[in-house]
Amino acid sequence: MSLKRAAIALPLAWTGAWLGYYAYTDTLRRSHIRERNRELGQALAALPGPVDPLGPASEAEKAAIKKRFASLKFAGRYWNPYVEWREQGAWEWAMRNVLLILSLKMFSNRGVPNERPIPDLPIERPNFDLLFPGARPRDPLNGAAAAPRETTGGEDVPLTDKLTMTWLGQSTSYVTLDRLAILTDPALSERTLDSFVAPKRLRPAPCRLDELRRVDVVLVSHNHFDHLDPLAVRELGDSCEWVVPAGVGPFFRKLGISRITELDWWQETRHTVRRPGEKEQTYTITAVPVMHWSARSPLDTNATLWSAFHVKADKPNGRSFIHLGDTGYSPTLYHAVGRVLGPIDLAAIPIGSYEPRWHMHLQHTDPEGAVRMALQMGVKKSVGVHWGTWLMSDEAYNKPPLDLAIAREKLDVLESAFSVEPVGRTIVVD
């Protein structure tokens, strides 16, 4: 009888303890939010004149916004300081996977064709002639290991002066901005982690990492496996500057990396490019708040921060780019980001992994939310990423572009302003 009672009591006690923990921490979190909202209201009311929502924000308004949307940490964990957020405990994760099993989705291909390549997931080769004018291209069929990179951003090759973006799958993009070579969330492996239970790529990466002849800066939004591949970290090594959210640095140091800059939300760092025969150029990189979470294991959930990154050339009419990584849609947050950093020339915005909505909507925006945040941030050109690479949610593999088209029509946004592109295609932003 005692064993039967223990079999009932222990799970109940475990569940009750976690429910109590989430209730306590969420009460504290919401208390912080109320206090921050009160302080923001007071700060805006104290401004010398009314806030013009269509005009540029004053430095005082920007400072008040940054204070309201600063990172929030207590008990060794980061928390989302947004009214829309609620904590999604282990019970919700278990419920979602039980429903997956009951619906047999976990054991089906969820409508993915057996044909390879998949007809509606096109792949192109990056335009290396455009990206590296005058540089000798690498042989795409040569699978030999790449030569060690130099410690100054890869090989000393010329880089286009055009604003370009080449989506390489998931949230991995190669961006050139005023002669700066940017790589985001490098993850080009076949699986998200080295295990048969991890999902396989629906379409292969369009190039090898060593074919990106020049990489000056790598932006890592958070430490989830589909955004941070240790194989890519080891291959790039100290040939580039790694810019990561607060707390992620130790992961890199364990892999022998030393060129790491950790940033809290709204903190800035400056990167300088010095190349023979070129004028020295600096760029400001800003960590930007997003609504998500972090973990590499069940024991380190939210122990490190998650972040978007905004990059702008420090010169008159310098162009700008924002990499959002993963985020849910928060109207108050993206209005704030637009006030501080907008307008923005180019954005990589996630549009996938959004179903079921009851579980995913807080951590992954749907396409309509993606279009709304682009409008709020004043983005001139947006590209939808984080879809059609690994099947990690319930929507059909090809649904995000279809839902994006519906959202564009609903919100009167042109396809040229917010598009999806084949993996590997290099686009030039005017």
Side-chain angles (χ1 to χ4, degrees), residues 58 63 76 83 88 111 153 160 214 230 248 251 263 277 293 308 314 319 325 331 379 389 405:
S58 66
V83 294
Q88 298 174 290
T160 179
R214 168 108 166 252
V248 182
F251 175 89
L263 297 179
W293 59 290
D314 297 330
R319 287 170 288 189
V379 179
T389 308

Side-chain angles (χ1 to χ4, degrees), residues 66 266 328 353 405:
K66 290 178 182 180
W266 303 117
S353 294

